[in-house]
Short mmCIF file of all heavy atoms in Angstrom, two decimals:
data_model
loop_
_atom_site.label_atom_id
_atom_site.label_comp_id
_atom_site.label_asym_id
_atom_site.label_seq_id
_atom_site.Cartn_x
_atom_site.Cartn_y
_atom_site.Cartn_z
N MET A 1 6.08 1.50 14.88
CA MET A 1 6.59 0.61 13.86
C MET A 1 8.00 1.05 13.51
O MET A 1 8.32 2.23 13.50
CB MET A 1 5.66 0.66 12.65
CG MET A 1 5.97 -0.29 11.53
SD MET A 1 5.93 -2.09 11.77
CE MET A 1 4.38 -2.43 12.50
N GLU A 2 8.81 0.09 13.20
CA GLU A 2 10.20 0.36 12.87
C GLU A 2 10.31 1.03 11.50
O GLU A 2 9.42 0.94 10.68
CB GLU A 2 10.97 -0.97 12.84
CG GLU A 2 10.84 -1.76 14.12
CD GLU A 2 11.28 -3.20 13.93
OE1 GLU A 2 12.07 -3.49 13.03
OE2 GLU A 2 10.79 -4.04 14.69
N GLN A 3 11.43 1.68 11.27
CA GLN A 3 11.70 2.33 10.00
C GLN A 3 11.99 1.28 8.94
O GLN A 3 12.62 0.27 9.20
CB GLN A 3 12.89 3.29 10.15
CG GLN A 3 13.18 4.10 8.93
CD GLN A 3 12.13 5.14 8.62
OE1 GLN A 3 11.14 5.28 9.32
NE2 GLN A 3 12.33 5.87 7.56
N LEU A 4 11.49 1.50 7.74
CA LEU A 4 11.74 0.60 6.62
C LEU A 4 13.22 0.58 6.25
O LEU A 4 13.88 1.62 6.28
CB LEU A 4 10.98 1.09 5.38
CG LEU A 4 9.68 0.43 5.03
CD1 LEU A 4 9.02 1.16 3.88
CD2 LEU A 4 9.82 -1.01 4.71
N SER A 5 13.71 -0.59 5.89
CA SER A 5 15.08 -0.68 5.39
C SER A 5 15.14 -0.03 4.01
O SER A 5 14.11 0.19 3.37
CB SER A 5 15.51 -2.14 5.28
OG SER A 5 14.78 -2.79 4.24
N ARG A 6 16.31 0.24 3.54
CA ARG A 6 16.49 0.84 2.20
C ARG A 6 15.88 -0.08 1.15
O ARG A 6 15.16 0.36 0.26
CB ARG A 6 17.97 1.09 1.94
CG ARG A 6 18.24 1.69 0.59
CD ARG A 6 19.74 1.96 0.43
NE ARG A 6 20.07 2.35 -0.91
CZ ARG A 6 20.07 3.60 -1.35
NH1 ARG A 6 19.78 4.58 -0.52
NH2 ARG A 6 20.38 3.88 -2.60
N GLN A 7 16.13 -1.39 1.25
CA GLN A 7 15.59 -2.37 0.31
C GLN A 7 14.06 -2.37 0.36
O GLN A 7 13.39 -2.39 -0.67
CB GLN A 7 16.13 -3.76 0.62
CG GLN A 7 15.51 -4.85 -0.23
CD GLN A 7 15.87 -6.25 0.26
OE1 GLN A 7 16.38 -6.43 1.36
NE2 GLN A 7 15.58 -7.24 -0.55
N GLY A 8 13.51 -2.34 1.55
CA GLY A 8 12.06 -2.33 1.71
C GLY A 8 11.43 -1.08 1.14
O GLY A 8 10.40 -1.13 0.47
N MET A 9 12.05 0.07 1.39
CA MET A 9 11.53 1.34 0.88
C MET A 9 11.54 1.33 -0.64
O MET A 9 10.57 1.76 -1.28
CB MET A 9 12.33 2.53 1.41
CG MET A 9 11.71 3.86 1.00
SD MET A 9 12.49 5.28 1.75
CE MET A 9 12.24 4.95 3.47
N GLN A 10 12.61 0.82 -1.23
CA GLN A 10 12.69 0.76 -2.69
C GLN A 10 11.58 -0.12 -3.26
O GLN A 10 10.96 0.21 -4.27
CB GLN A 10 14.06 0.25 -3.14
CG GLN A 10 15.16 1.24 -2.90
CD GLN A 10 16.54 0.66 -3.17
OE1 GLN A 10 16.75 -0.55 -3.14
NE2 GLN A 10 17.50 1.54 -3.43
N LYS A 11 11.30 -1.24 -2.61
CA LYS A 11 10.25 -2.16 -3.05
C LYS A 11 8.88 -1.49 -2.96
O LYS A 11 8.08 -1.55 -3.91
CB LYS A 11 10.29 -3.43 -2.20
CG LYS A 11 9.15 -4.39 -2.43
CD LYS A 11 9.29 -5.14 -3.73
CE LYS A 11 8.22 -6.23 -3.82
NZ LYS A 11 7.61 -6.28 -5.11
N VAL A 12 8.58 -0.84 -1.85
CA VAL A 12 7.29 -0.16 -1.68
C VAL A 12 7.14 0.93 -2.73
O VAL A 12 6.10 1.03 -3.40
CB VAL A 12 7.14 0.42 -0.26
CG1 VAL A 12 5.93 1.34 -0.16
CG2 VAL A 12 7.04 -0.69 0.77
N MET A 13 8.14 1.76 -2.91
CA MET A 13 8.06 2.86 -3.87
C MET A 13 7.90 2.33 -5.29
O MET A 13 7.13 2.88 -6.08
CB MET A 13 9.28 3.77 -3.76
CG MET A 13 9.39 4.49 -2.41
SD MET A 13 7.89 5.39 -1.94
CE MET A 13 7.95 6.73 -3.08
N LYS A 14 8.59 1.25 -5.63
CA LYS A 14 8.48 0.65 -6.96
C LYS A 14 7.04 0.19 -7.19
O LYS A 14 6.46 0.44 -8.25
CB LYS A 14 9.44 -0.52 -7.08
CG LYS A 14 9.37 -1.25 -8.40
CD LYS A 14 10.32 -2.43 -8.43
CE LYS A 14 10.12 -3.26 -9.67
NZ LYS A 14 10.89 -4.50 -9.64
N ASP A 15 6.46 -0.49 -6.21
CA ASP A 15 5.11 -1.01 -6.35
C ASP A 15 4.08 0.12 -6.41
O ASP A 15 3.11 0.05 -7.18
CB ASP A 15 4.77 -1.98 -5.22
CG ASP A 15 5.55 -3.28 -5.32
OD1 ASP A 15 6.14 -3.56 -6.39
OD2 ASP A 15 5.59 -4.02 -4.32
N VAL A 16 4.26 1.18 -5.62
CA VAL A 16 3.34 2.31 -5.65
C VAL A 16 3.42 3.01 -7.00
O VAL A 16 2.38 3.35 -7.59
CB VAL A 16 3.63 3.29 -4.49
CG1 VAL A 16 2.89 4.61 -4.67
CG2 VAL A 16 3.25 2.65 -3.16
N LYS A 17 4.61 3.20 -7.51
CA LYS A 17 4.76 3.83 -8.83
C LYS A 17 4.08 3.00 -9.91
O LYS A 17 3.46 3.54 -10.82
CB LYS A 17 6.24 4.04 -9.16
CG LYS A 17 6.87 5.17 -8.39
CD LYS A 17 8.35 5.30 -8.72
CE LYS A 17 9.00 6.34 -7.84
NZ LYS A 17 10.45 6.44 -8.09
N LEU A 18 4.19 1.69 -9.80
CA LEU A 18 3.53 0.79 -10.76
C LEU A 18 2.01 0.96 -10.69
O LEU A 18 1.34 1.02 -11.72
CB LEU A 18 3.93 -0.66 -10.48
CG LEU A 18 3.37 -1.71 -11.43
CD1 LEU A 18 3.87 -1.48 -12.85
CD2 LEU A 18 3.77 -3.09 -10.97
N LEU A 19 1.47 1.05 -9.49
CA LEU A 19 0.02 1.27 -9.34
C LEU A 19 -0.42 2.63 -9.87
O LEU A 19 -1.53 2.77 -10.39
CB LEU A 19 -0.39 1.14 -7.87
CG LEU A 19 -0.56 -0.28 -7.36
CD1 LEU A 19 -0.74 -0.27 -5.84
CD2 LEU A 19 -1.73 -0.96 -8.03
N ILE A 20 0.44 3.62 -9.76
CA ILE A 20 0.11 4.95 -10.28
C ILE A 20 0.11 4.93 -11.81
O ILE A 20 -0.77 5.47 -12.45
CB ILE A 20 1.08 6.02 -9.73
CG1 ILE A 20 0.81 6.21 -8.23
CG2 ILE A 20 0.95 7.33 -10.49
CD1 ILE A 20 1.85 7.04 -7.52
N ARG A 21 1.10 4.26 -12.39
CA ARG A 21 1.19 4.18 -13.85
C ARG A 21 0.12 3.27 -14.45
O ARG A 21 -0.36 3.51 -15.54
CB ARG A 21 2.57 3.67 -14.29
CG ARG A 21 3.60 4.77 -14.36
CD ARG A 21 4.91 4.26 -14.87
NE ARG A 21 5.64 3.87 -13.66
CZ ARG A 21 6.50 2.88 -13.56
NH1 ARG A 21 6.79 2.16 -14.59
NH2 ARG A 21 7.09 2.61 -12.43
N ASN A 22 -0.22 2.20 -13.74
CA ASN A 22 -1.20 1.22 -14.21
C ASN A 22 -2.25 1.01 -13.13
O ASN A 22 -2.26 -0.02 -12.46
CB ASN A 22 -0.51 -0.12 -14.53
CG ASN A 22 0.58 0.03 -15.55
OD1 ASN A 22 0.34 0.46 -16.66
ND2 ASN A 22 1.80 -0.32 -15.16
N PRO A 23 -3.13 2.00 -12.94
CA PRO A 23 -4.10 1.89 -11.85
C PRO A 23 -5.03 0.69 -12.02
O PRO A 23 -5.34 0.28 -13.13
CB PRO A 23 -4.88 3.20 -11.91
CG PRO A 23 -4.49 3.88 -13.17
CD PRO A 23 -3.29 3.20 -13.72
N VAL A 24 -5.44 0.15 -10.90
CA VAL A 24 -6.41 -0.94 -10.87
C VAL A 24 -7.75 -0.32 -10.50
O VAL A 24 -7.84 0.42 -9.51
CB VAL A 24 -5.99 -2.01 -9.83
CG1 VAL A 24 -7.03 -3.09 -9.72
CG2 VAL A 24 -4.62 -2.58 -10.17
N ASP A 25 -8.78 -0.60 -11.30
CA ASP A 25 -10.10 -0.05 -11.01
C ASP A 25 -10.52 -0.37 -9.59
O ASP A 25 -10.42 -1.51 -9.15
CB ASP A 25 -11.14 -0.60 -11.98
CG ASP A 25 -11.03 -0.02 -13.38
OD1 ASP A 25 -10.41 1.06 -13.53
OD2 ASP A 25 -11.55 -0.65 -14.32
N GLY A 26 -10.98 0.65 -8.88
CA GLY A 26 -11.50 0.45 -7.54
C GLY A 26 -10.46 0.43 -6.44
O GLY A 26 -10.79 0.21 -5.29
N ILE A 27 -9.19 0.70 -6.78
CA ILE A 27 -8.13 0.73 -5.76
C ILE A 27 -7.37 2.04 -5.87
O ILE A 27 -6.92 2.42 -6.95
CB ILE A 27 -7.15 -0.45 -5.92
CG1 ILE A 27 -7.89 -1.78 -5.75
CG2 ILE A 27 -6.00 -0.34 -4.92
CD1 ILE A 27 -7.04 -3.01 -5.98
N ARG A 28 -7.26 2.74 -4.75
CA ARG A 28 -6.49 3.98 -4.69
C ARG A 28 -5.46 3.84 -3.57
O ARG A 28 -5.79 3.37 -2.49
CB ARG A 28 -7.43 5.17 -4.43
CG ARG A 28 -8.34 5.44 -5.63
CD ARG A 28 -9.52 6.31 -5.29
NE ARG A 28 -10.42 5.78 -4.28
CZ ARG A 28 -11.31 4.80 -4.48
NH1 ARG A 28 -11.40 4.20 -5.63
NH2 ARG A 28 -12.12 4.41 -3.51
N VAL A 29 -4.23 4.25 -3.86
CA VAL A 29 -3.13 4.11 -2.90
C VAL A 29 -2.59 5.48 -2.56
O VAL A 29 -2.42 6.33 -3.43
CB VAL A 29 -2.01 3.23 -3.49
CG1 VAL A 29 -0.85 3.13 -2.54
CG2 VAL A 29 -2.54 1.85 -3.84
N TYR A 30 -2.34 5.68 -1.27
CA TYR A 30 -1.79 6.95 -0.78
C TYR A 30 -0.54 6.64 0.05
O TYR A 30 -0.58 5.79 0.92
CB TYR A 30 -2.80 7.69 0.09
CG TYR A 30 -4.15 7.83 -0.58
CD1 TYR A 30 -5.18 6.93 -0.29
CD2 TYR A 30 -4.38 8.84 -1.50
CE1 TYR A 30 -6.41 7.05 -0.91
CE2 TYR A 30 -5.62 8.96 -2.12
CZ TYR A 30 -6.63 8.06 -1.82
OH TYR A 30 -7.84 8.17 -2.44
N ILE A 31 0.53 7.37 -0.21
CA ILE A 31 1.75 7.17 0.56
C ILE A 31 2.25 8.52 1.02
O ILE A 31 2.20 9.51 0.28
CB ILE A 31 2.81 6.41 -0.26
CG1 ILE A 31 3.96 5.99 0.64
CG2 ILE A 31 3.29 7.20 -1.45
CD1 ILE A 31 4.84 4.91 0.06
N ASP A 32 2.69 8.57 2.24
CA ASP A 32 3.29 9.78 2.80
C ASP A 32 4.75 9.80 2.37
O ASP A 32 5.50 8.91 2.73
CB ASP A 32 3.18 9.75 4.33
CG ASP A 32 3.78 10.97 5.00
OD1 ASP A 32 4.47 11.77 4.34
OD2 ASP A 32 3.55 11.11 6.21
N PRO A 33 5.17 10.77 1.57
CA PRO A 33 6.56 10.78 1.10
C PRO A 33 7.57 10.89 2.23
O PRO A 33 8.74 10.54 2.07
CB PRO A 33 6.63 12.00 0.17
CG PRO A 33 5.41 12.79 0.44
CD PRO A 33 4.41 11.90 1.09
N ASN A 34 7.12 11.31 3.41
CA ASN A 34 8.03 11.41 4.56
C ASN A 34 8.05 10.14 5.40
O ASN A 34 8.86 10.02 6.31
CB ASN A 34 7.63 12.59 5.44
CG ASN A 34 7.74 13.90 4.69
OD1 ASN A 34 8.69 14.12 3.96
ND2 ASN A 34 6.74 14.74 4.83
N ASN A 35 7.14 9.19 5.10
CA ASN A 35 7.07 7.97 5.90
C ASN A 35 6.58 6.82 5.03
O ASN A 35 5.40 6.47 5.06
CB ASN A 35 6.15 8.16 7.11
CG ASN A 35 6.11 6.94 7.99
OD1 ASN A 35 6.88 6.01 7.82
ND2 ASN A 35 5.20 6.94 8.94
N ALA A 36 7.46 6.22 4.26
CA ALA A 36 7.10 5.14 3.35
C ALA A 36 6.74 3.86 4.09
O ALA A 36 6.24 2.92 3.50
CB ALA A 36 8.23 4.87 2.37
N SER A 37 6.95 3.81 5.41
CA SER A 37 6.60 2.60 6.15
C SER A 37 5.11 2.53 6.47
O SER A 37 4.63 1.55 7.01
CB SER A 37 7.42 2.50 7.44
OG SER A 37 7.10 3.56 8.31
N SER A 38 4.36 3.57 6.09
CA SER A 38 2.92 3.60 6.31
C SER A 38 2.24 3.92 4.99
O SER A 38 2.47 4.96 4.39
CB SER A 38 2.57 4.66 7.35
OG SER A 38 1.18 4.75 7.52
N LEU A 39 1.42 3.01 4.53
CA LEU A 39 0.73 3.16 3.25
C LEU A 39 -0.76 3.02 3.50
O LEU A 39 -1.18 2.17 4.28
CB LEU A 39 1.21 2.07 2.29
CG LEU A 39 0.65 2.13 0.89
CD1 LEU A 39 1.77 2.60 -0.04
CD2 LEU A 39 0.19 0.77 0.47
N GLU A 40 -1.55 3.87 2.86
CA GLU A 40 -3.00 3.78 3.01
C GLU A 40 -3.61 3.51 1.65
O GLU A 40 -3.08 3.93 0.62
CB GLU A 40 -3.55 5.08 3.60
CG GLU A 40 -3.07 5.30 5.01
CD GLU A 40 -3.70 6.49 5.69
OE1 GLU A 40 -4.78 6.94 5.24
OE2 GLU A 40 -3.11 6.97 6.67
N ALA A 41 -4.73 2.78 1.65
CA ALA A 41 -5.42 2.45 0.41
C ALA A 41 -6.91 2.49 0.64
O ALA A 41 -7.39 2.31 1.77
CB ALA A 41 -4.99 1.08 -0.08
N GLU A 42 -7.64 2.73 -0.42
CA GLU A 42 -9.09 2.62 -0.43
C GLU A 42 -9.44 1.62 -1.51
O GLU A 42 -8.94 1.69 -2.63
CB GLU A 42 -9.75 3.96 -0.73
CG GLU A 42 -9.61 4.97 0.37
CD GLU A 42 -10.30 6.28 0.06
OE1 GLU A 42 -10.65 6.54 -1.12
OE2 GLU A 42 -10.49 7.05 1.00
N ILE A 43 -10.31 0.68 -1.16
CA ILE A 43 -10.73 -0.35 -2.09
C ILE A 43 -12.25 -0.33 -2.16
O ILE A 43 -12.93 -0.38 -1.13
CB ILE A 43 -10.24 -1.74 -1.63
CG1 ILE A 43 -8.72 -1.74 -1.54
CG2 ILE A 43 -10.75 -2.83 -2.57
CD1 ILE A 43 -8.14 -3.01 -0.97
N ASP A 44 -12.77 -0.23 -3.38
CA ASP A 44 -14.22 -0.25 -3.57
C ASP A 44 -14.71 -1.69 -3.47
O ASP A 44 -14.05 -2.62 -3.96
CB ASP A 44 -14.58 0.32 -4.94
CG ASP A 44 -14.24 1.80 -5.06
OD1 ASP A 44 -14.17 2.49 -4.03
OD2 ASP A 44 -14.06 2.26 -6.21
N GLY A 45 -15.87 -1.86 -2.85
CA GLY A 45 -16.47 -3.17 -2.76
C GLY A 45 -16.80 -3.71 -4.14
O GLY A 45 -17.26 -2.98 -5.01
N PRO A 46 -16.56 -5.00 -4.38
CA PRO A 46 -16.82 -5.58 -5.70
C PRO A 46 -18.31 -5.56 -6.05
O PRO A 46 -19.17 -5.76 -5.18
CB PRO A 46 -16.35 -7.03 -5.56
CG PRO A 46 -15.55 -7.09 -4.31
CD PRO A 46 -15.99 -5.96 -3.44
N ALA A 47 -18.60 -5.32 -7.32
CA ALA A 47 -19.98 -5.33 -7.80
C ALA A 47 -20.59 -6.71 -7.58
O ALA A 47 -19.89 -7.73 -7.54
CB ALA A 47 -20.00 -4.97 -9.29
N GLU A 48 -21.88 -6.71 -7.42
CA GLU A 48 -22.65 -7.95 -7.28
C GLU A 48 -22.26 -8.78 -6.05
O GLU A 48 -22.30 -10.01 -6.06
CB GLU A 48 -22.57 -8.79 -8.55
CG GLU A 48 -23.10 -8.05 -9.76
CD GLU A 48 -23.01 -8.85 -11.04
OE1 GLU A 48 -23.05 -10.09 -10.98
OE2 GLU A 48 -22.90 -8.22 -12.09
N THR A 49 -21.80 -8.09 -5.02
CA THR A 49 -21.51 -8.73 -3.74
C THR A 49 -22.18 -7.89 -2.66
O THR A 49 -22.59 -6.75 -2.91
CB THR A 49 -20.00 -8.80 -3.44
OG1 THR A 49 -19.51 -7.49 -3.15
CG2 THR A 49 -19.21 -9.41 -4.60
N PRO A 50 -22.29 -8.41 -1.45
CA PRO A 50 -22.85 -7.58 -0.36
C PRO A 50 -22.01 -6.33 -0.08
O PRO A 50 -22.48 -5.40 0.57
CB PRO A 50 -22.82 -8.52 0.84
CG PRO A 50 -22.82 -9.89 0.26
CD PRO A 50 -22.07 -9.78 -1.04
N TYR A 51 -20.78 -6.28 -0.59
CA TYR A 51 -19.89 -5.15 -0.34
C TYR A 51 -19.98 -4.07 -1.42
O TYR A 51 -19.33 -3.03 -1.31
CB TYR A 51 -18.45 -5.64 -0.24
CG TYR A 51 -18.31 -6.73 0.80
CD1 TYR A 51 -18.15 -8.06 0.42
CD2 TYR A 51 -18.37 -6.44 2.16
CE1 TYR A 51 -18.05 -9.07 1.38
CE2 TYR A 51 -18.26 -7.43 3.11
CZ TYR A 51 -18.11 -8.75 2.71
OH TYR A 51 -18.01 -9.73 3.65
N ALA A 52 -20.76 -4.30 -2.47
CA ALA A 52 -20.90 -3.33 -3.56
C ALA A 52 -21.37 -2.00 -3.01
O ALA A 52 -22.22 -1.93 -2.13
CB ALA A 52 -21.89 -3.85 -4.59
N GLY A 53 -20.77 -0.93 -3.50
CA GLY A 53 -21.12 0.41 -3.05
C GLY A 53 -20.33 0.87 -1.83
O GLY A 53 -20.35 2.03 -1.49
N GLY A 54 -19.65 -0.04 -1.18
CA GLY A 54 -18.84 0.31 -0.01
C GLY A 54 -17.43 0.70 -0.40
O GLY A 54 -16.94 0.31 -1.46
N THR A 55 -16.80 1.48 0.43
CA THR A 55 -15.39 1.82 0.27
C THR A 55 -14.69 1.39 1.54
O THR A 55 -15.12 1.74 2.64
CB THR A 55 -15.20 3.33 0.05
OG1 THR A 55 -15.91 3.70 -1.14
CG2 THR A 55 -13.72 3.68 -0.12
N PHE A 56 -13.63 0.64 1.38
CA PHE A 56 -12.92 0.07 2.53
C PHE A 56 -11.53 0.69 2.60
O PHE A 56 -10.79 0.67 1.63
CB PHE A 56 -12.88 -1.45 2.40
CG PHE A 56 -14.26 -2.03 2.32
CD1 PHE A 56 -14.90 -2.16 1.10
CD2 PHE A 56 -14.94 -2.37 3.48
CE1 PHE A 56 -16.19 -2.65 1.03
CE2 PHE A 56 -16.23 -2.85 3.41
CZ PHE A 56 -16.86 -2.99 2.19
N ARG A 57 -11.22 1.24 3.75
CA ARG A 57 -9.92 1.90 3.96
C ARG A 57 -8.99 0.95 4.69
O ARG A 57 -9.37 0.30 5.67
CB ARG A 57 -10.11 3.17 4.76
CG ARG A 57 -10.90 4.18 3.99
CD ARG A 57 -10.99 5.50 4.72
NE ARG A 57 -11.79 6.41 3.90
CZ ARG A 57 -12.71 7.20 4.38
NH1 ARG A 57 -12.94 7.23 5.67
NH2 ARG A 57 -13.40 7.96 3.58
N LEU A 58 -7.77 0.90 4.20
CA LEU A 58 -6.73 0.04 4.78
C LEU A 58 -5.53 0.87 5.14
O LEU A 58 -5.21 1.85 4.46
CB LEU A 58 -6.27 -1.02 3.77
CG LEU A 58 -7.34 -1.88 3.11
CD1 LEU A 58 -6.72 -2.65 1.97
CD2 LEU A 58 -7.92 -2.81 4.13
N LYS A 59 -4.84 0.47 6.17
CA LYS A 59 -3.56 1.07 6.52
C LYS A 59 -2.58 -0.08 6.65
O LYS A 59 -2.80 -1.00 7.44
CB LYS A 59 -3.63 1.86 7.82
CG LYS A 59 -2.32 2.55 8.12
CD LYS A 59 -2.48 3.51 9.28
CE LYS A 59 -1.20 4.30 9.44
NZ LYS A 59 -1.34 5.37 10.41
N LEU A 60 -1.54 -0.06 5.85
CA LEU A 60 -0.51 -1.09 5.88
C LEU A 60 0.74 -0.52 6.54
O LEU A 60 1.21 0.55 6.17
CB LEU A 60 -0.17 -1.55 4.46
CG LEU A 60 -1.33 -2.13 3.66
CD1 LEU A 60 -0.93 -2.34 2.21
CD2 LEU A 60 -1.76 -3.44 4.28
N LEU A 61 1.25 -1.24 7.51
CA LEU A 61 2.46 -0.84 8.21
C LEU A 61 3.56 -1.85 7.89
O LEU A 61 3.37 -3.04 8.06
CB LEU A 61 2.22 -0.77 9.71
CG LEU A 61 1.14 0.20 10.16
CD1 LEU A 61 0.87 0.06 11.65
CD2 LEU A 61 1.53 1.62 9.82
N PHE A 62 4.69 -1.34 7.44
CA PHE A 62 5.81 -2.17 7.03
C PHE A 62 6.91 -2.13 8.07
O PHE A 62 7.29 -1.05 8.53
CB PHE A 62 6.38 -1.68 5.69
CG PHE A 62 5.36 -1.71 4.58
CD1 PHE A 62 4.54 -0.63 4.33
CD2 PHE A 62 5.24 -2.83 3.78
CE1 PHE A 62 3.62 -0.65 3.31
CE2 PHE A 62 4.31 -2.87 2.75
CZ PHE A 62 3.50 -1.77 2.52
N SER A 63 7.44 -3.29 8.42
CA SER A 63 8.56 -3.33 9.37
C SER A 63 9.87 -3.20 8.60
O SER A 63 9.89 -3.26 7.37
CB SER A 63 8.54 -4.64 10.15
OG SER A 63 8.91 -5.71 9.30
N ASN A 64 10.95 -3.08 9.33
CA ASN A 64 12.26 -2.95 8.67
C ASN A 64 12.69 -4.27 8.03
O ASN A 64 13.66 -4.31 7.30
CB ASN A 64 13.32 -2.42 9.63
CG ASN A 64 13.64 -3.39 10.74
OD1 ASN A 64 12.93 -4.38 10.95
ND2 ASN A 64 14.70 -3.11 11.47
N ASP A 65 11.94 -5.35 8.26
CA ASP A 65 12.25 -6.64 7.65
C ASP A 65 11.52 -6.86 6.33
O ASP A 65 11.68 -7.88 5.69
CB ASP A 65 11.90 -7.76 8.64
CG ASP A 65 12.49 -9.09 8.25
OD1 ASP A 65 13.60 -9.10 7.68
OD2 ASP A 65 11.84 -10.12 8.49
N PHE A 66 10.69 -5.89 5.91
CA PHE A 66 9.98 -6.00 4.64
C PHE A 66 11.01 -5.93 3.52
O PHE A 66 11.94 -5.15 3.60
CB PHE A 66 8.97 -4.86 4.50
CG PHE A 66 8.21 -4.90 3.21
CD1 PHE A 66 7.11 -5.73 3.07
CD2 PHE A 66 8.61 -4.14 2.13
CE1 PHE A 66 6.42 -5.78 1.88
CE2 PHE A 66 7.92 -4.19 0.94
CZ PHE A 66 6.83 -5.01 0.81
N PRO A 67 10.95 -6.75 2.48
CA PRO A 67 9.88 -7.61 2.03
C PRO A 67 9.97 -9.06 2.54
O PRO A 67 9.23 -9.92 2.08
CB PRO A 67 10.02 -7.57 0.52
CG PRO A 67 11.47 -7.41 0.28
CD PRO A 67 11.96 -6.57 1.45
N ASN A 68 10.84 -9.34 3.49
CA ASN A 68 10.95 -10.69 4.01
C ASN A 68 9.81 -11.04 4.97
O ASN A 68 9.59 -12.21 5.26
CB ASN A 68 12.29 -10.89 4.72
CG ASN A 68 13.44 -10.76 3.72
OD1 ASN A 68 13.35 -11.26 2.62
ND2 ASN A 68 14.49 -10.07 4.12
N SER A 69 9.13 -10.03 5.49
CA SER A 69 7.95 -10.27 6.33
C SER A 69 6.82 -9.39 5.79
O SER A 69 7.07 -8.31 5.27
CB SER A 69 8.24 -9.95 7.80
OG SER A 69 8.54 -8.59 7.94
N PRO A 70 5.59 -9.87 5.90
CA PRO A 70 4.47 -9.12 5.31
C PRO A 70 4.13 -7.86 6.13
O PRO A 70 4.46 -7.78 7.31
CB PRO A 70 3.31 -10.12 5.38
CG PRO A 70 3.65 -11.00 6.53
CD PRO A 70 5.15 -11.11 6.54
N PRO A 71 3.45 -6.91 5.49
CA PRO A 71 2.98 -5.75 6.24
C PRO A 71 1.88 -6.17 7.21
O PRO A 71 1.26 -7.22 7.05
CB PRO A 71 2.46 -4.80 5.17
CG PRO A 71 2.22 -5.64 3.97
CD PRO A 71 3.10 -6.84 4.08
N LYS A 72 1.65 -5.35 8.20
CA LYS A 72 0.56 -5.61 9.16
C LYS A 72 -0.56 -4.63 8.89
O LYS A 72 -0.38 -3.57 8.40
CB LYS A 72 1.07 -5.43 10.58
CG LYS A 72 2.16 -6.42 10.91
CD LYS A 72 2.50 -6.34 12.39
CE LYS A 72 3.66 -7.21 12.72
NZ LYS A 72 3.51 -8.57 12.90
#
């Protein structure tokens, strides 16, 4: 994956800091300070659904065109 642009890195870091300051129940975000183009998250399955009790791991990869193109 390509390196994040300066604008993209600033956007990712801003959003991660916001999640750290105002956490969302059931969502945890991990970022490698040496590689902001790769972000990992864990999301708990919603209650009262077949996914309840599960933990789902995601890896988001950002291109140098982020935020103009979505992560993969």
Side-chain angles (χ1 to χ4, degrees):
M1 185 62 51
E2 305 164 25
Q3 185 69 0
L4 260 174
S5 68
R6 180 178 172 89
Q7 174 190 13
M9 186 173 300
Q10 289 172 338
K11 173 74 172 136
V12 169
M13 295 308 288
K14 178 182 173 188
D15 291 345
V16 168
K17 286 178 186 177
L18 182 63
L19 279 171
I20 290 170
R21 276 184 268 147
N22 303 301
V24 176
D25 286 340
I27 299 176
R28 292 164 299 285
V29 177
Y30 309 98
I31 191 163
D32 180 349
N34 298 318
N35 183 9
S37 64
S38 177
L39 183 107
E40 295 186 20
E42 290 182 344
I43 300 174
D44 294 336
E48 301 179 28
T49 71
Y51 305 105
T55 300
F56 302 88
R57 294 185 181 137
L58 308 169
K59 184 170 187 172
L60 301 170
L61 300 173
F62 300 89
S63 72
N64 67 348
D65 194 33
F66 180 82
N68 296 318
S69 64
K72 297 188 186 280

